[in-house]
Amino acid sequence: MQKGYVIKRILYTIFIFFIVVTLNFFIPRIGVEDPAERYYPPQGNMTDVEYDIVKQLTREQYGFDVSTFQQYIRYLNDLFHGDLGTSFQAGSPKVADLIASRIPWTLVLSVSTLLIGLFLGLLIGSYAAWKRGQRVDTAVLNASTITTALPAFFIALLLSLYLGFEWELFPAYTDPNMVASFDWSWRSISLVASSAALPIISMAIGSVVSYAQNTRNSVIAVSNEDFILTARAKGLPSRQVLYKHTLRNAMLPIVTNLGMSVSGLIGGSVVIEQIFNWNGMGTLFLNANNTNDYPLMMGIMLFLSLFALAANLVTDLCYCLLDPRVTVGGSR
Amino acid sequence: MKRRLHTGGRRLGGLLLSAVLLNGVLLAAGCSGGAYERRGDTSSTLYIGEVASSFPTSYMPWFSRDGIAPTIANMVYSTLFDYDENTGVYTPRLANSWYYVDKEGNPIVTEDGRVDYDRLEEVYGGSDSAFFPVRFELNPDATWSDGTPVTVEDIYFTYDLAANQKVSNHAGALAWVNDLLHKYDTNTGVMKRQGIYTYDHGAAQAGYAISEEEKDTVFYFEVSKVLGAITPLVSTVLILPKHIYGPIVSAENPLNNTDPDEALSYAYSHPVGCGPFTLDAEATNSQEIVLHRRKDFYIKAKDGSDLYKVDTLKFILYQEINVAIYALKKGHLDVLDSSISANYASLFENEESVRLMKAPGTFTQTLVFNLNAPTDRVTPERTLLSDVRIRKAIALAVDQQQLIQNVLNGEGRPVSAGLIMETMPDLYNPESDILAGDTDEKLAEANAILDEICPTKDEAGYRYTEDGVKLSFEILGSPGEQEAISFLQVLLQKIGVEVKFAAKGNSPETTYLYGGNFDMTIQGVTFSLSNIDTMYNAHFSNLNRSSNYGRLQDEAINAKITEMRQTINLNKKYEAVKELQLLTAQQYYKIPLYCSNVLSVARTDRFTGWEQEDGSTAFNLKSLENLQMV
Amino acid sequence: MKRFFSRLGSALWDALKGIGRFVAKLWAHPKGRIGLIIAGLLVICAVFAPPIAPYAPYDVTPRAEKGLSPSWAHPLGTTITTGQDIFSMLIYGTRVSLVVGITTGLATAFLGALMGVLTGYVGGFVDMLVMRIVDIMLVIPTLPLTIVLTNLFGKSYFMIIFIFTLFGWTGLARVVRSQVLVLKNSNYVRAAELAGAKRSHIMFRHILPGVSHLLIMSTALTSAGIMVAEAGLSFLGLGDPTAISWGKMLADAQSGGALLFGHWWWIMAPGIGIFLSVFAFMRIGLAMEEIFNPRMKQSSGLYKLFKNLNNTYLQEVFDSMEEDRLEEKVKPEPTEEREPAGVS
């Protein structure tokens, strides 16, 4: 039963993969007769003859001189060799190289946020569930409304203004050389930590409250279930009741939540990165947008989609293992 | 039960506390390193802030896009001469001198060494010769950064490469050498005509005298019979080393390569140039570029000492101007290579070691009318704009002083309607300043003109023609121009014309203006001695993909432009330009709005001697010559 | 003709009465009252912006000095870059937020309801096709796609509303779908089917009213979420550059140097605006949920908002659990509903 489901899921993922890749191929070509003009816009002081030569060179360079179908095949072929295209940036770096160099930095922010969110969220959530109805609980409930209404980038700006520029507790901006001069020395690591503190705090506030909420709700929901009452009636020590039964069952929705947020690990911090000039995927994408660097933009889009796809697949399969009820056509 | 949870909670709380403490320790440790490099640096190193989205990852010697790459290239490589656009002076770099020669090989110069244009016209004015021969003498001391001397072989190699776009893969290079009559058949690659002659490459056969001693330093060009032709040839083409690129570059492995092989990659990242600086390949990365001064540089200052006194240049990348300004304020930079807006002036008022400098700009922002839209883009409003009286009325209503005061906080200056600035006395024609005058009088005149054509107004005060077309236009602009357009709204409301902001870039048609899908737009123009040939053609005459977006087609102007380009007497050429200014001003096609000053900041606590040239920031080659350590 | 108008008129009158009753219910609820008051104030600000705002932001002639601190003349100071009065810009900013938020909320509700009812009631091939399309859409990340599309087709709020609607209807559709599956088996629907009523008639007269409370709630909560998202997009510069929006004010504050100069008022003002608008709509949505579904009273706002905006696995889990449970509702209910994973 399980194996059939797994195979079906993987095949389905591959099918979606092809559709996403095809969409990614066609989006920049929509409504444009000559993609070369988009890739090399005319400069004001170029004569017509020169511009035609430039366009022809651009076409050859980016492969527009063959038919669309051939381009598509070449695109797929490059993709299977791991080549996501060549960026317009000076020096023509490969898109895959740029992405690879920026991902670890984005992960520093998002994984830290995730861990802090989980950690503190579980702690606060279980405490609030324990003290249901009292002040802690209502405080947590209200906090959730407030943190949803205050977007993370607004909090980031305020933190940057006060903690960074005014009181100088943290660096107001990310040292430009932080990425390039990173050599695993104590000094480098501490520099990264102090520069990452503000972005992580801004994102973590919302994350902590969200996880606290989920924990509180699922703990309460599970606590009301019959089997918990049965366990207590049986005379099991309350610690065992809490850890073995309540929390383990309450974790299920949280794990799902976690799984869903994995796909947001890379693409989710675009705005925060922009505020703090953090050298991650977010700023890479925004810069590509500002300079009309189409290969880079579409390469990142493709990468993010494929990452989300893979994350969903893994989450789905993991969830299958965790909760045997959720299987296609599974028996009860 | 509660106790159990508390124990668990306490344990977790303890972990949390230790995490916070750890971060605090890291913070404290981090405070002592990284960005604060400059504060402790006592060596002769200049820290320059650049605001860009990225730095190049490798350095192809010829670049067609902007950013910092051309700046670096110009410091690592050299051209034959440097050309000052305001004074018209050619400063020797790789070459010491150039002159037109007559048929016997004698230079056509006056007694004080300048070009004798009258004699030039005499010798070559007739139609029996299609080109000018020009004789060059290289600086015999010029060397590449690896010690090899620079010879005419390098020159020949470079210009040959530039003209052969299959091997250079760089269409811009083709434009640079357009006027060198060194032509390849672009289809077959076969040379049709050679435009450069050295001792070993056909000088004797062509009749150009080069003696045995001069063979490494003298060469001849054959240049199109246009006066401006020599300037881009000598001041934009960066000379490449033949001994480096010669063995590597070919049609299969062109110079401008997005997929270079190993040898070419190495040449890109370890450039060997004949300029005053070398690139430190090991210290350079995607956030920082390091240049070292060549101690053996062959050009010296007037007193014989080194031309530049700064040993190392470090360019640091910042993504945003605010961050860069903050960095400068905190002392992490010596100078910012970007101009800053006048709004930031108050930040530096009380800073002792920061100098805020101003210099006049060189770009004029103009309001351009679309007066001859292509047939599929004609609208009733654009038809209105083809009437020169309406354009004149709008031009009269534009008050440059008010715009400068409100939009630029006073940091700018008005420009004559002929679009050439007073700082260029050779070109400037004071008669073309037809839009100067008292504001009220100009408004009255504008209203009078419009009263004749469209006297009817609606309730808001905007005019209508008899056919019911409202004088309402859209100005295509970028978000930064919204302020200026808002003020234009107010100014033009006084004569009953409505203008609105339309965002540029919503679609390809509104981004690439040559399609003609706009009413008015704001465009920056710059005219100088070096570019009048191309600029006048591009802005006022050429209908193809040039800057003549409004498609002006005036016979008198076209004729004058042709005359100006073809005359080979410089004085006559400047006369033609003066007449052109008046003609273009009278068409009211590109209305000057303002020319903003360039504000730039530099710290004076480590280096002094900052000098800002027109149109540039505090960081320029002139400053570099003057900088001294404190 | 006359009959059509009279039917239309009575339908509208019914709707108005319904809205009136509904607003009264909200007013009675303490949380709902706060939400209504704030939302009401915001709507008034949006509609009557010109008389309320002391200075017209687009008017350049009375421009004050740039970068002023708050004072009596300018309660929130002026911007550094253009000298506009920040308080007036705040008032005008309500327009963009409310229009984008409410329009998207309504459009999402409409589309979600349509798709939910269709797939739930018709089922079969339509169901499978729509769910596959939804799977593809879920994989493509929304923010980068928005950036790419605004680059290709121009920056405007219409584009933003379009993209949000396109990607936002999936969550509601699933919830509606599961609800429709319940209703499908109810007696009165079965009766209508037996009586020979057309499918479309059943869908719109019987099933849709059954999910109407979901739609209304979803509109409010989605609007709240969209307002935050729109602020984020405007902050990145993807909205109309001529419109005044809170997100754009924050972006201008950052690029204009408010951080450098320490002008906290320029940053606080739009932030408070965003906070109030989202808070108000969330309160309304939560109050509605508590009114319609008293059991949910203990659950929190974020949880419900989350459920509404969540597009993937959490919802699928709930659905799959509910679907199976629903199918069993027709049969006698088993004694042990849930088997926990790992009881000793």
Side-chain angles (χ1 to χ4, degrees), chain A residues 161-204:
Chain A
L161 173 65
Y162 284 112
L163 298 184
F165 283 88
E166 297 273 307
W167 303 329
E168 296 184 24
L169 292 174
F170 292 89
Y173 65 95
T174 315
D175 184 2
N177 222 2
M178 178 187 74
V179 170
S181 68
F182 188 71
D183 56 358
W184 292 106
S185 70
W186 190 243
R187 183 182 274 200
S188 291
I189 295 182
S190 62
L191 183 62
V192 173
S194 55
S195 307
L198 284 183
I200 292 179
I201 294 177
S202 336
M203 290 195 284

Side-chain angles (χ1 to χ4, degrees), chain C residues 36 98 136 240:
Chain C
L36 264 184
L98 286 182
I136 296 175
D240 186 355

Side-chain angles (χ1 to χ4, degrees), chain A residues 9 12 19 38 141 148-149 153-154 162 166 210 213-214 217 249 257 260 271 275 289 292 294 301 304-305 309, chain C residues 132 135-136 139 141 144 147 151-152 232 235 250 254 262 264 267 271 275 300 302-303 305-306 312-313 341:
Chain A
R9 197 73 184 74
Y12 184 59
I19 296 195
R38 200 161 243 171
L141 281 170
T148 328
F153 63 92
F154 174 60
Y162 284 112
E166 297 273 307
S210 151
Q213 273 316 317
N214 279 341
N217 290 324
N249 283 294
N257 191 5
M260 192 211 74
V271 183
I275 294 177
N289 181 43
N292 280 341
Y294 291 106
M301 277 273 302
L304 289 176
S305 314
L309 200 60
Chain C
R132 297 316 133 217
D135 279 334
I136 296 175
V139 167
I147 295 177
N151 186 313
L152 294 172
F235 182 78
L250 281 172
Q254 191 207 6
W264 53 269
I267 300 181
F275 174 72
S300 85
L302 184 66
Y303 189 64
L305 178 64
F306 189 67
T312 55
Y313 292 90

Side-chain angles (χ1 to χ4, degrees), chain A residues 173 175-176 191, chain B residues 30 33-39 318 331-332:
Chain A
Y173 65 95
D175 184 2
L191 183 62
Chain B
Y36 299 58
E37 195 185 330
R38 178 187 168 269
R39 285 196 182 151
Y318 290 92
H332 305 325

Side-chain angles (χ1 to χ4, degrees), chain A residues 37 40 42 44 46 51 53-54 57 61 90 92 120 123 165 168 173 175-177 180 190 194 238 277 279 287, chain B residues 1 12 16 26-27 30 34-35 56-57 65 165 169 171 174 258 285 287-288 317 319 323 330 332 514 545-546:
Chain A
E37 288 202 6
Y40 201 116
M46 228 186 250
Y51 188 55
I53 296 177
V54 166
L57 288 176
Q61 185 173 25
S92 300
L120 288 181
L123 188 66
F165 283 88
E168 296 184 24
Y173 65 95
D175 184 2
N177 222 2
S190 62
S194 55
S238 45
N277 289 318
N279 258 348
N287 286 336
Chain B
M1 277 190 202
L12 290 167
L16 189 66
L26 290 176
L27 262 176
T57 50
R65 313 243 175 168
Q165 120 252 1
N169 196 16
L174 201 61
T258 54
N285 53 56
Q287 315 291 123
E288 196 175 273
L317 174 69
Q319 304 274 359
V323 172
K330 284 286 154 194
H332 305 325
Y514 63 83
R545 288 195 174 80
S546 65

